[in-house]
Amino acid sequence: MSTENPQVRKFGTKQFIIIALAVMSIAFIWLGFTKYGFWDEFKGPRPGFFPVIISIGMLVASVLALVFSFKESAPSWPKENWLVPLSVVAIMLATFIIGLLPSIAIYIVVWLRWLEKCTWKTTVVVFLIIMAIVVGAFVLWLGVPFPKGLIYNALFY
Amino acid sequence: MENFQMLMQGFEVLFTFQNIGATIFGAILGLIVGAMPGIGSLAGVALLLPLTFRFNPTTAIIMLGALYYANMYGGAFSSILLGIPGDGPAVMTLMDGYPMATKRNRPGQALLTSNISSFIGGTIGMLILTFMGPALAEIGLKFGPAEMTALLLVAMTSIGWLVGENPTKGLLLTMFGILLASMGMDTLSGSPRYDFGSIYLLGGIPFTPFVIGMVGFSQVIKLMGERHKENKVVVNKLTIKGSMITGHDFKRMLMPALRSGFLGTFVGVLPGAGATTAAFMGYAAQKSFKSEEPLGSGAIEGIAACEAANNGAAAGAFAPLLALGIPGSGTGAVLLGGLMMWGLNPGPLLFTNSPDFAWGLIASLFLANLITLMIAWGVIPFLIKILSVPTKLMIPIITVVCIVGSYSTSNSMYGVLIMFISGMLGYVLTKCEYQTAPALLAFVLAPLLESNMRKAFIISQGSLGIFFEKPISLVFMILLLSIMLFPIVRPVLVRLGLLKKKVK
């Protein structure tokens, strides 16, 4: 079954992306010419030289892509897919309070037990596998100092 | 002969406990990652990049090389047993692999055919790499800034052109990748640019979190939609004994594997073509030869042709990567990025300045090929369990690896933020039918392109003529202009009846 919606010739995400890229290229051209410099008679190419050339190319390609984009079908955006980025935002926020490892531990249990409705046995097995990878490879082997969060710092420092 | 002596020295470098362990570890992980539908070699290599920080550069790249290479073996497993290709190159394996497993009821033999022909194709690719690598490097030594600029432009635009269906989108993302790479510090003058006042952006966008996000995290978001699909394995039980092929089967597989091994290697050397194109071409070429059973009905010849071609291409792709510093695919770009992070500069001088590394890596591919064949054979009885791991369990595992992997590269949440943003961007772009591989390749090659382009313009005092004066750069420039103008010229050619309209 196709996930595409046949909404042809409407302004949508595809057009938005292309316009965003075009705006980016205009900003790079502007900054390249006005702030970083394009060409110096004696020194030759300046820091803005290369990005400006590429930006001009990108602007031309954006115009072409925009023309062709109206012939394409619009993509669909299943709501459940956004749960993954949402969970990462939650982990990032929780990290500042309780630290990264506890945030990850809570995420795994919540995700598997309540979202995926896995059994406690599966949840515990996957939990142990993930924590073994994180603690074994990243903490013990690579020695990564993961953030411990405000609560830990308040209690122990 | 000299190349063989250097290769033997490479084996001496390779034969340490750590390097052999890294090869075995990379091969096992590559098989698992390749076998699981939806992850692929690009995401696999990107996710494992942080784990290699503890190793020395040689061991690290040996492990990633083995992982990439083993992935080519693993991709066929799910094609044959599930009817779902594990990665791009395995799409063609499905054509005959799945019917051989289901209609002919010979799943074990299909797997073994795939493994042996992968081994044959890979060995051919590595032998050619042994000779072609240093020869390419010698040619590369003659390249000045103008030739390198033209070559890099061709490499970047051709991957944008060949990957995906829309060349304009490929070119757009190539230029987007270059602009992202130009943020931070201007490497030639040392002055900051496009940092937008952020101290984080002053150091540029960090490579590892960017790659993990673009290919790993974006993949997890996509997998959410597939998490309730059940992988139905076509057989209940597989044994090594029951998977043995007959002498007649071997005879049928040998010639297609040899032919496709050569063809695939040369396709792999071309920038942008890669293993997927090689598999398609290997299969298409087999149609011109006699097969005992019709292709598409479960013919051994079909499996052998595409598997040997994609493994030949995987090995062949190392020739331009090592000798010219130009990767042929997204995975090659990640490997190149890794090499640069470890302070190695792939290019014409690599074989002269770091022979231990260059030959150690080539030797490790030979070892990885042999080890992967043995492991791939050994895991046949366990494949059903590996392939039955539900996607819904893979999602939290990969998400956590993305987070901790990105954090570990900078020991800061900035890495996680970059991974998150690039992951979202990668997902949105993929949904809008953009391929992220051109952006990755451009991101890695942009500094090299910029320094060569600026040097060329300094030499020519701003004249474009420098790119058209020497024959090598002239040829590359003609190629580049043809690639860039084709999307515009194409509709005109179709209208004039000189080109057929593309049928989807």
Side-chain angles (χ1 to χ4, degrees), chain A residues 3-4 13-14 17-18 21 24 28 31-32 36 39 43 45-55 57-58 61-62 64-65 68 72-73 75-78 80-85 88-89 91-92 95-96 100 104 107-108 111-112 115-116 118 122 126 130 133-134 137-138 140-142 144-147, chain B residues 50-51 53-55 166 168-169 171-173 175-176 178-180 182-183 186 189 191-196 217 220-222 224-225 227-228 392-393 395-397 399-401 403-405 407-408 411 413 416-417 419-420 424 427-429 431-434 446 449-450 453-454 457-458 461-462 487-488 491:
Chain A
T3 56
E4 305 292 309
T13 324
K14 285 187 176 175
I17 285 176
I18 295 164
L21 291 173
M24 181 184 169
F28 269 64
L31 286 170
Y36 306 117
W39 186 270
K43 292 177 183 170
R46 305 306 299 143
F49 175 79
F50 179 70
V52 165
I53 291 177
I54 299 299
S55 301
M58 193 159 109
S62 305
L64 277 176
F68 294 132
E72 296 174 12
S73 55
S76 63
W77 303 98
E80 61 176 4
N81 287 24
W82 299 109
L83 284 171
V84 178
V88 174
V89 171
I91 291 172
M92 283 161 76
T95 298
F96 289 104
L100 187 59
I104 285 171
Y107 155 73
I108 300 163
W111 187 277
L112 292 174
L115 186 84
E116 298 291 4
C118 292
T122 311
V126 177
I130 297 177
I133 295 171
V134 174
F138 288 92
L140 298 176
W141 189 43
L142 290 173
V144 178
F146 286 115
Chain B
L51 281 183
F53 291 162
R54 185 77 190 266
F55 294 132
N166 190 331
T168 316
K169 285 182 173 178
L171 291 177
L172 200 55
L173 274 207
M175 290 184 269
F176 175 62
I178 295 175
L179 288 189
L180 288 183
S182 69
M183 290 165 81
D186 171 27
S189 69
S191 56
R193 65 177 180 189
Y194 301 106
D195 58 347
F196 302 100
F217 188 55
V220 189
I221 307 175
K222 260 194 297 177
M224 269 301 278
R227 73 191 206 279
H228 295 303
K392 66 179 183 183
L393 300 185
I395 291 171
I397 297 176
T399 305
V400 170
V401 172
I403 294 170
V404 293
Y407 182 89
S408 66
N411 288 345
M413 288 304 279
V416 182
L417 188 66
M419 180 280 294
F420 177 76
M424 295 280 283
Y427 172 67
V428 173
L429 288 171
K431 286 292 281 183
C432 292
E433 294 161 40
Y434 286 85
L449 174 66
E450 180 174 10
M453 187 186 269
R454 280 167 71 173
F457 277 115
I458 289 170
Q461 293 178 321
I488 305 165

Side-chain angles (χ1 to χ4, degrees), chain B residues 68-207:
Chain B
Y68 166 55
Y69 189 73
N71 210 274
M72 296 294 138
Y73 275 73
F77 294 165
S78 55
S79 272
I80 293 167
L81 294 180
L82 298 175
I84 305 166
D87 53 11
V91 172
M92 295 315 290
T93 313
L94 187 136
M95 305 288 280
D96 281 282
Y98 192 61
M100 187 168 167
T102 50
K103 289 181 190 163
R104 298 191 187 277
N105 205 20
R106 299 184 76 199
Q109 284 77 10
L111 288 168
L112 203 55
T113 303
S114 150
N115 291 345
I116 296 173
S117 31
S118 292
F119 177 78
I120 294 171
T123 307
I124 292 169
M126 284 157 205
L127 286 170
I128 295 173
L129 169 67
T130 305
F131 290 99
M132 195 191 272
L136 256 183
E138 270 186 37
I139 297 169
L141 282 173
K142 290 172 186 148
F143 284 14
E147 286 87 351
M148 270 314 280
T149 305
L151 175 64
L152 285 163
L153 286 171
V154 169
M156 283 182 177
T157 44
S158 62
I159 192 166
W161 169 261
L162 288 166
V163 178
E165 287 187 356
N166 190 331
T168 316
K169 285 182 173 178
L171 291 177
L172 200 55
L173 274 207
T174 302
M175 290 184 269
F176 175 62
I178 295 175
L179 288 189
L180 288 183
S182 69
M183 290 165 81
M185 199 73 82
D186 171 27
T187 45
L188 291 188
S189 69
S191 56
R193 65 177 180 189
Y194 301 106
D195 58 347
F196 302 100
S198 159
I199 51 159
Y200 289 111
L201 281 179
L202 199 59
I205 294 173
F207 172 72

Side-chain angles (χ1 to χ4, degrees), chain B residues 298-367:
Chain B
I300 283 180
E301 292 87 346
I303 302 173
C306 45
E307 278 301 308
N310 75 42
N311 279 60
F318 276 92
L321 176 69
L322 296 176
L324 301 174
I326 293 173
S329 62
T331 316
V334 179
L335 290 174
L336 179 66
L339 287 172
M340 288 171 166
M341 268 182 351
W342 293 301
L344 290 157
N345 284 315
L349 291 171
L350 187 75
F351 283 92
T352 324
N353 291 349
S354 311
D356 282 0
F357 168 77
W359 289 104
L361 175 59
I362 295 175
S364 80
L365 289 178
F366 278 96
L367 184 70

Side-chain angles (χ1 to χ4, degrees), chain B residues 186-433:
Chain B
D186 171 27
T187 45
L188 291 188
S189 69
S191 56
R193 65 177 180 189
Y194 301 106
D195 58 347
F196 302 100
S198 159
I199 51 159
Y200 289 111
L201 281 179
L202 199 59
I205 294 173
F207 172 72
T208 312
F210 174 69
V211 173
I212 291 176
M214 268 285 193
V215 293
F217 188 55
S218 64
Q219 191 67 13
V220 189
I221 307 175
K222 260 194 297 177
L223 281 177
M224 269 301 278
E226 296 160 24
R227 73 191 206 279
H228 295 303
K229 279 183 194 165
E230 273 189 37
N231 294 337
K232 285 184 182 165
V233 185
V234 295
V235 280
N236 296 324
K237 201 183 170 189
L238 280 170
T239 59
I240 293 177
K241 202 179 168 188
S243 304
M244 298 303 281
I245 55 169
T246 63
H248 180 65
D249 289 338
F250 186 76
K251 265 187 197 168
R252 284 176 63 189
M253 145 202 344
L254 188 62
M255 281 318 286
L258 288 172
R259 269 195 304 266
S260 286
F262 280 102
L263 176 71
T265 305
F266 288 104
V267 174
V269 171
L270 303 172
T276 308
T277 315
F280 274 89
M281 287 183 73
Y283 194 79
Q286 183 55 34
K287 283 185 178 170
S288 321
F289 294 93
K290 207 177 162 188
S291 301
E292 202 171 288
E293 288 143 356
L295 289 187
S297 68
I300 283 180
E301 292 87 346
I303 302 173
C306 45
E307 278 301 308
N310 75 42
N311 279 60
F318 276 92
L321 176 69
L322 296 176
L324 301 174
I326 293 173
S329 62
T331 316
V334 179
L335 290 174
L336 179 66
L339 287 172
M340 288 171 166
M341 268 182 351
W342 293 301
L344 290 157
N345 284 315
L349 291 171
L350 187 75
F351 283 92
T352 324
N353 291 349
S354 311
D356 282 0
F357 168 77
W359 289 104
L361 175 59
I362 295 175
S364 80
L365 289 178
F366 278 96
L367 184 70
N369 197 22
L370 188 67
I371 286 175
T372 312
L373 175 70
M374 291 191 291
I375 296 173
W377 205 334
V379 297
I380 283 177
F382 309 103
L383 273 180
I384 293 167
K385 279 206 165 172
I386 295 173
L387 290 170
S388 305
V389 175
T391 309
K392 66 179 183 183
L393 300 185
M394 294 304 301
I395 291 171
I397 297 176
I398 303 174
T399 305
V400 170
V401 172
C402 286
I403 294 170
V404 293
S406 328
Y407 182 89
S408 66
T409 55
S410 56
N411 288 345
S412 138
M413 288 304 279
Y414 174 61
V416 182
L417 188 66
I418 291 290
M419 180 280 294
F420 177 76
I421 295 169
S422 52
M424 295 280 283
L425 190 66
Y427 172 67
V428 173
L429 288 171
T430 316
K431 286 292 281 183
C432 292
E433 294 161 40

